[in-house]
Amino acid sequence: AGWTPWVSSHKPNPDDVMDGDTEDLSLLANADDFNLCGGDMSMVADIDCREINSQTPWTSTGQSDLICDTLTGFYCSNSMNYPEGCHDYEISVLCQCPPTTTQTTTSTVTSTTTTHKTTQTTGMHHPQETTEHTTTGAVTTTGTNIPVTTGAATTTLQEATTPKVCVAGWTPWVSSHKPNPDDVMDGDTEDLSLLANADDFNLCGGDMSMVADIDCREINSQTEWSS
């Protein structure tokens, strides 16, 4: 679950009026190179689109008749943006795990109350003595001819809906500091522990134990840090 990395599958040709930029969400979800939300379109809860080079949100590029939604993905037509043509765009989608139904078992024990009378006669001139015993639930006794009721057990199945436990994926790309090249004491620092707990970023929900891997790149060119 969570936002996927930014992806782009097509680079528009501005010289072809019939071309444009298309990021087909259903194709991207099932393509081996992308496999968005594990290929399950029902998990796609939201989408974001932006221009690749400037990282400008799609709503602020000034281009016409753009589509960015969870049904289509992204679409831009060169013919609607002639003569400039479409910029190159990328998308990121929010994946949410669906709920799952589990069964829980509840056992209920029902007890029965039994009343038993015993009559004892001693000698010729003594009146009869009557003793009344009331038994509830499960009882153990050593007497003779005394019935015992231990109760009946019944089992009830109940269905409960609980959220599925799912593992988060890659976060969006983030940057908290812009280096000052004129300051020899400065540089670029992205402190993971601070980013994890900062309200503006809140990486992995602030739980550093969830961080399994990291990737870094140069913002403008998107060049990998190792290259």
Side-chain angles (χ1 to χ4, degrees), residues 12-150:
N13 179 4
D15 299 324
D16 183 357
V17 72
M18 299 302 293
D19 194 24
D21 195 10
T22 301
E23 304 298 338
D24 190 312
L25 193 55
S26 61
L27 294 179
L28 288 172
N30 292 282
D32 291 337
D33 292 342
F34 302 100
N35 194 31
L36 301 184
C37 297
D40 186 352
M41 286 289 291
S42 67
M43 290 178 61
V44 178
D46 201 357
I47 187 172
D48 197 8
C49 309
R50 70 181 184 184
E51 200 270 333
I52 289 181
N53 293 328
S54 66
Q55 299 185 6
T56 302
W58 68 283
T59 54
S60 303
T61 61
Q63 297 212 289
S64 301
D65 295 305
L66 305 181
I67 297 175
C68 177
D69 60 37
T70 55
L71 295 177
T72 303
F74 179 82
Y75 177 75
C76 173
S77 171
N78 280 348
S79 63
M80 300 303 295
N81 291 276
Y82 183 82
E84 177 187 26
C86 294
H87 299 170
D88 195 8
Y89 291 84
E90 59 187 356
I91 69 171
S92 175
V93 298
L94 176 63
C95 306
Q96 288 186 345
C97 296
T100 185
T101 300
T102 59
Q103 281 191 334
T104 58
T105 302
T106 302
S107 296
T108 303
V109 177
T110 304
S111 61
T112 304
T113 300
T114 301
T115 300
H116 176 70
K117 293 184 178 180
T118 60
T119 302
Q120 180 181 15
T121 303
T122 304
M124 294 293 296
H125 304 289
H126 290 272
Q128 290 184 335
E129 295 180 321
T130 301
T131 305
E132 184 176 283
H133 304 278
T134 301
T135 304
T136 303
V139 177
T140 301
T141 182
T142 58
T144 304
N145 297 326
I146 300 178
V148 176
T149 302
T150 60

Side-chain angles (χ1 to χ4, degrees), residues 197-210:
N197 292 283
D199 291 338
D200 292 341
F201 302 100
N202 194 31
L203 302 184
C204 294
D207 186 353
M208 286 289 291
S209 67
M210 292 179 61

Side-chain angles (χ1 to χ4, degrees), residues 151-195:
T154 59
T155 300
T156 304
L157 290 179
Q158 297 178 335
E159 286 193 352
T161 300
T162 57
K164 181 180 177 182
V165 177
C166 53
V167 179
W170 286 95
T171 67
W173 291 95
V174 298
S175 177
S176 63
H177 177 71
K178 185 176 180 66
N180 180 4
D182 298 326
D183 184 357
V184 70
M185 301 300 293
D186 195 22
D188 196 9
T189 301
E190 304 298 337
D191 190 312
L192 191 55
S193 61
L194 295 179
L195 289 171

